[in-house]
């Protein structure tokens, strides 16, 4: 035994683990077939235990509640003194690892299992250690939460990530004790980290388990009411951001959403903090994009009750939505200017990335490609710096879209490949749909209908379980109509394009999106011989664009329609139709389209 102990002390921790891991479970199971050498290894560990004094044994049992390592402050929280830690290190029962944040300790897995076995022999002391462990990590999570949204976020992100296994162990202890208030505090404190670092599905699972600990009070005066509403809203937010909405399994979901909206739409301090300020996310469907007044109310409420971060998030949320609404980017420049000031003051890299992304969207809509590309690249750099991996596929996809708008299809495909790889790696399901839509568009422009149909079907398969934004729905309808024209002829294509345009108008898509659908409609009408209406629609779309110029592919479409109309109508007829079209509203275009397709 002494010789075996001496050999163990000469081995590195990695070598000890390699020799013990494959045998220890069998040894502790009491199997009669273990080899003499295995019995000797168990005896070595038992012998080491026997050499410990009472304080050291108590310390080793208490430390068994940790998962994935700990620091000295954490050890002291469960009653282990620095002297006891040093003694266990000296006896090779603890392994130390220097880190930038200080010394970190852990047990080899086999030693940890042995300590856990010994701790189970003193259940009262074990429960006290678990409670102390859970309380320490709840306090740590609540300390970290606001700092994850500040200029000091990087070391706190690393620390939270390092302690993930301990947070999970502490949550298991909390759930086992059915301590709903502590569970709610845990989920609230870790919710932003789960979202930011793309642990969203895990966050949903923890939130659902805490929800199951109790019922929702109906009286807003009940002290349990607002904590439960915060928990419910955070669960919804994590769920819609982690996968298709159909995966949310609560049978009373609509009732819960209604109560959340009723609670937070009234404003107040609860609606000016995370997650309360995100209540418009519960407006599933296209209604969310119509309710500009709701977004204005959130911004105003955060100005009254929130801090810089909360004001910035509310303003950023509204800016992203306004870019996709009709109205010519009204107020976007002023919002972006304020956001730059707020994000610089807060220091949150995620917020700065969002501001850069919104700047990119505004520049893209205005045809300022180089500025948009620089903004998206800045957003990508900041998102990666803070580890917001779910943002990267969209941002790379936006850069791909810029290349497409410049007419460089090969470069666009290259960026889409990169975007697709990251979307698969991090499970960003809606980014995959966006990638497929852009691939389908490129395939149509390259006259590759089979490939376009495949990508279109892929996008639909991904989005069918969720509710895509209005512009996504309109673009999908446009792709389907273009495919119909290619596969069934321009007359059937005109019917489909009429429906697609009506969709873009009814969903109140951004002006440049509606104009692009209208121009695709004009191209199909021209192929069907309806040159008068094609010329009118093309002229109307130009007026809607305002300061949002056509992309290179869109210019090619418009040029072809113009040339066909000029040949068919002659210069005078062509100018007459264009003059008539300049005054057309989207409603007027829709009515004329309906009239044409109804008689064909």
């Amino acid at each position: 035994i002494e010789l075996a102990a001496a050999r163990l002390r000469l081995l590195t921790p990695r070598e000890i683990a390699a020799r013990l891991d494959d045998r220890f479970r069998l040894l502790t199971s009491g199997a009669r077939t273990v080899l003499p050498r295995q019995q000797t290894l168990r005896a070595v560990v038992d012998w080491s235990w026997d050499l410990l004094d009472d304080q050291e044994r108590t310390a080793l049992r208490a430390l068994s509640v940790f998962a994935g390592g700990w620091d000295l402050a954490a050890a002291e929280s469960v009653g282990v003194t620095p002297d006891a830690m040093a003694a266990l290190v000296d006896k090779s029962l603890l392994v130390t690892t220097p880190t930038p944040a200080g010394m970190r300790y852990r047990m080899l897995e086999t030693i940890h299992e042995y300590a856990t076995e010994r701790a189970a022999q003193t259940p009262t002391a074990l429960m006290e250690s678990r409670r102390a462990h859970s309380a320490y990590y709840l306090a740590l999570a609540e300390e970290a939460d606001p700092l994850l949204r500040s200029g000091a976020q990087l070391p706190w992100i690393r620390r939270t990530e390092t302690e993930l296994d301990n947070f999970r162990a502490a949550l298991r202890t909390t759930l086992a004790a059915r301590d709903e208030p502590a569970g709610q505090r845990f989920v609230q404190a870790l919710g932003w980290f789960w979202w930011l670092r793309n642990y969203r599905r895990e966050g949903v699972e923890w939130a659902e388990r805490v929800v199951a600990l109790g019922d929702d009070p109906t009286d807003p005066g009940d002290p349990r009411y607002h904590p439960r509403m915060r928990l419910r809203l955070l669960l919804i937010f994590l769920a819609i951001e982690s996968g298709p909405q159909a995966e949310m399994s609560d049978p009373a979901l609509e009732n819960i959403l209604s109560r959340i909206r009723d609670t937070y739409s009234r404003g107040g301090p609860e609606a000016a903090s995370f997650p309360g300020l995100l209540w418009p996310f519960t407006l599933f469907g296209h209604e969310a994009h119509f309710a500009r007044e709701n977004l204005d109310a959130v911004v105003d409420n955060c100005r009254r009750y929130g801090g810089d971060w909360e004001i910035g998030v509310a303003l950023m949320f509204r800016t992203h939505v306004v870019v996709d609404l009709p109205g010519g980017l009204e107020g976007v420049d002023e919002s972006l200017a304020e956001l730059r000031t707020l994000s610089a003051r807060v220091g949150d890299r995620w917020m700065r990335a969002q501001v850069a992304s919104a700047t990119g969207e505004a520049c893209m809509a205005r045809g300022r490609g180089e500025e948009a590309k620089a903004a998206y690249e800045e957003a990508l750099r900041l998102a990666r710096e803070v580890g917001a991996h779910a943002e990267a596929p969209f941002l790379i996809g936006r850069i791909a879209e810029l290349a497409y708008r410049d007419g460089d299809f090969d470069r666009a495909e290259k960026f889409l490949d990169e975007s697709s790889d990251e979307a698969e790696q991090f499970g960003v399901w809606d980014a995959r749909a966006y990638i497929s839509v852009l691939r389908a568009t490129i395939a149509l422009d390259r006259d590759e209908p089979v490939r376009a149909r495949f990508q279109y079907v892929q996008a639909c398969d991904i989005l069918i379980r969720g509710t895509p934004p209005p512009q996504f729905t309109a673009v999908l309808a446009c792709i389907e109509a273009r495919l119909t024209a290619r596969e069934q002829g321009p007359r059937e294509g005109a019917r489909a394009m009429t429906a697609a345009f009506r969709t873009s108008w009814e969903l109140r898509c951004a002006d440049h999106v509606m104009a692009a659908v209208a121009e695709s409609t004009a191209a199909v009408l021209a192929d069907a011989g309806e040159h008068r209406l094609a010329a009118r629609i093309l002229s109307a779309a130009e007026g809607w664009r305002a300061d949002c110029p056509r992309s290179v592919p869109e210019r090619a479409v418009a040029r072809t329609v113009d040339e066909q109309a000029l040949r068919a109508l002659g210069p005078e007829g062509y100018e007459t139709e264009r003059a008539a079209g300049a005054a057309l509203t989207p409603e007027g275009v829709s009515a004329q389209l309906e009239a044409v397709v109804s008689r064909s």
Side-chain angles (χ1 to χ4, degrees):
I1 289 174
E2 289 175 356
L3 178 60
R7 287 176 174 170
L8 281 174
R9 288 184 178 277
L10 290 173
L11 295 174
T12 67
R14 188 180 298 276
E15 290 169 330
I16 293 173
R19 295 189 181 202
L20 295 183
D21 279 344
D22 60 347
R23 300 180 178 92
F24 195 76
R25 292 185 187 277
L26 183 60
L27 290 171
T28 55
S29 69
R32 298 179 180 179
T33 58
V34 295
L35 298 173
R37 184 181 178 191
Q38 293 170 329
Q39 294 172 337
T40 299
L41 290 171
R42 172 63 190 224
V44 167
V45 182
D46 282 333
W47 175 74
S48 296
W49 173 264
D50 291 338
L51 291 177
L52 301 178
D53 61 29
D54 287 343
Q55 183 188 28
E56 292 164 348
R57 291 177 186 174
T58 299
L60 196 65
R61 284 193 292 260
L63 294 171
S64 71
V65 300
F66 288 97
W70 62 91
D71 58 22
L72 185 58
E76 290 178 315
S77 75
V78 297
V80 178
T81 66
D83 288 343
M85 292 280 289
L88 293 173
V89 170
D90 288 342
K91 293 178 172 62
S92 299
L93 293 171
L94 297 182
V95 178
T96 59
T97 305
T99 72
M103 192 65 71
R104 193 157 181 85
Y105 303 84
R106 65 182 177 89
M107 296 180 198
L108 299 175
E109 183 58 32
T110 47
I111 301 300
H112 186 268
E113 291 183 9
Y114 185 89
T116 301
E117 177 189 330
R118 288 292 187 175
Q121 296 170 1
T122 56
T124 300
L126 175 60
M127 183 54 64
E128 290 176 357
S129 296
R130 284 177 174 165
R131 287 172 181 161
H133 173 272
S134 182
Y136 176 83
Y137 281 99
L138 175 55
L140 180 61
E142 291 181 329
E143 180 184 5
D145 180 36
L147 295 168
L148 296 174
R149 299 188 286 273
S150 74
Q153 65 194 163
L154 293 185
W156 280 96
I157 288 172
R158 287 192 294 269
R159 185 171 183 184
T160 306
E161 194 106 43
T162 298
E163 298 289 4
L164 264 181
D165 286 338
N166 280 309
F167 287 128
R168 291 163 179 151
L171 271 163
R172 284 192 290 270
T173 297
T174 301
L175 289 165
R178 300 193 62 79
D179 187 344
E180 184 182 355
Q184 290 173 350
R185 289 171 59 193
F186 255 125
V187 170
Q188 174 74 22
L190 291 172
W192 182 253
F193 173 82
W194 286 330
W195 185 87
L196 178 69
R197 296 287 285 181
N198 206 27
Y199 292 96
R200 298 168 188 179
R201 175 48 53 189
E202 178 179 352
V204 168
E205 292 170 359
W206 286 118
E208 286 177 338
R209 292 174 68 182
V210 175
V211 164
L213 293 178
D215 298 319
D216 294 335
T218 57
D219 180 7
D222 190 316
R224 299 172 299 148
Y225 183 86
H226 283 292
R228 286 288 295 193
M229 287 297 99
R230 283 196 298 271
L231 178 63
R232 287 288 193 181
L233 179 53
L234 183 56
L235 172 56
I236 297 297
F237 176 62
L238 289 169
I240 63 176
E241 291 288 297
S242 64
Q245 293 162 20
E247 292 182 9
M248 292 189 295
S249 57
D250 196 319
L253 178 59
E254 186 49 49
N255 179 55
I256 292 167
L257 295 176
S258 177
R259 291 174 61 196
I260 288 172
R261 289 192 287 268
D262 184 60
T263 298
Y264 292 105
S265 62
R266 300 174 184 179
E270 286 283 347
S273 62
F274 176 77
L277 61 89
L278 300 176
W279 70 264
F281 273 78
T282 64
L283 290 164
F284 298 137
H286 306 302
E287 294 83 0
H289 294 262
F290 296 171
R292 169 67 185 266
E293 64 273 15
N294 289 332
L295 305 175
D296 291 340
V298 171
V299 172
D300 293 342
N301 188 64
C302 286
R303 291 192 192 281
R304 182 175 181 183
Y305 295 105
D308 284 346
W309 187 88
E310 289 76 18
I311 295 169
V313 169
L315 196 58
M316 175 271 297
F317 180 22
R318 185 179 70 181
T319 302
H320 275 294
V321 171
V322 167
V323 169
D324 292 331
L325 290 175
L329 306 182
E330 181 182 357
V332 165
D333 291 334
E334 293 80 2
S335 294
L336 287 173
E338 183 180 359
L339 278 167
R340 291 187 191 100
T341 300
L342 285 170
S343 61
R345 193 156 64 221
V346 172
D348 179 3
R349 291 160 181 82
W350 173 82
M351 181 186 287
R352 289 165 56 198
Q354 291 297 311
V355 175
S357 175
T359 300
E361 290 178 25
C363 289
M364 181 188 288
R366 289 168 170 157
R368 288 153 33 186
E370 289 303 315
E371 293 177 57
K373 184 172 182 290
Y376 285 133
E377 287 173 344
E378 180 187 4
L380 183 60
R381 176 183 62 79
L382 289 165
R384 283 182 165 152
E385 187 176 344
V386 81
H389 301 301
E391 305 287 342
F394 279 110
L395 293 169
I396 299 169
R398 288 298 198 187
I399 296 172
E401 186 174 348
L402 284 169
Y404 165 75
R405 291 179 64 82
D406 285 341
D408 191 340
F409 295 171
D410 290 340
R411 188 159 59 95
E413 294 273 22
K414 174 179 172 293
F415 282 119
L416 286 175
D417 289 342
E418 183 181 348
S419 176
S420 180
D421 289 344
E422 296 221 14
E424 291 295 329
Q425 180 180 354
F426 298 111
V428 188
W429 67 277
D430 43 355
R432 296 198 296 269
Y434 167 62
I435 292 163
S436 290
V437 164
L438 194 48
R439 287 193 194 278
T441 303
I442 292 172
L444 277 169
D445 289 352
R446 281 178 157 164
D447 197 22
E448 299 173 354
V450 174
R451 180 167 173 257
R453 173 65 70 180
F454 174 78
Q455 293 294 339
Y456 168 79
V457 170
Q458 278 203 325
C460 291
D461 285 346
I462 295 168
L463 291 172
I464 195 169
R465 292 172 292 170
T467 305
Q471 65 272 16
F472 230 90
T473 301
V475 170
L476 276 174
C478 184
I479 291 172
E480 168 63 13
R482 290 178 65 187
L483 284 166
T484 299
R486 182 67 172 75
E487 296 164 352
Q488 300 180 35
R491 285 291 168 186
E492 288 303 313
R495 293 180 184 278
M497 285 301 317
T498 297
F501 177 77
R502 186 172 60 249
T503 296
S504 72
W505 168 54
E506 291 175 348
L507 295 181
R508 295 186 60 198
C509 290
D511 297 329
H512 64 279
V513 173
M514 192 160 50
V517 176
E519 288 160 359
S520 292
T521 304
V524 174
L525 287 170
D527 289 342
E530 299 286 349
H531 298 292
R532 293 185 182 279
L533 183 54
R536 288 198 296 271
I537 291 176
L538 200 63
S539 178
E542 287 177 6
W544 305 338
R545 282 185 172 277
D547 60 349
C548 299
R550 292 175 177 131
S551 66
V552 170
E554 288 166 344
R555 288 202 297 270
V557 169
R559 184 168 56 251
T560 300
V561 173
D562 271 335
E563 290 171 353
Q564 289 176 329
L566 187 59
R567 284 196 302 270
L569 304 174
E572 185 176 348
Y574 171 74
E575 291 300 332
T576 299
E577 298 303 333
R578 283 190 58 82
L584 283 175
T585 64
E587 184 177 9
V589 167
S590 183
Q592 292 199 17
L593 282 169
E594 295 286 354
V596 167
V597 300
S598 65
R599 70 169 184 261
S600 62

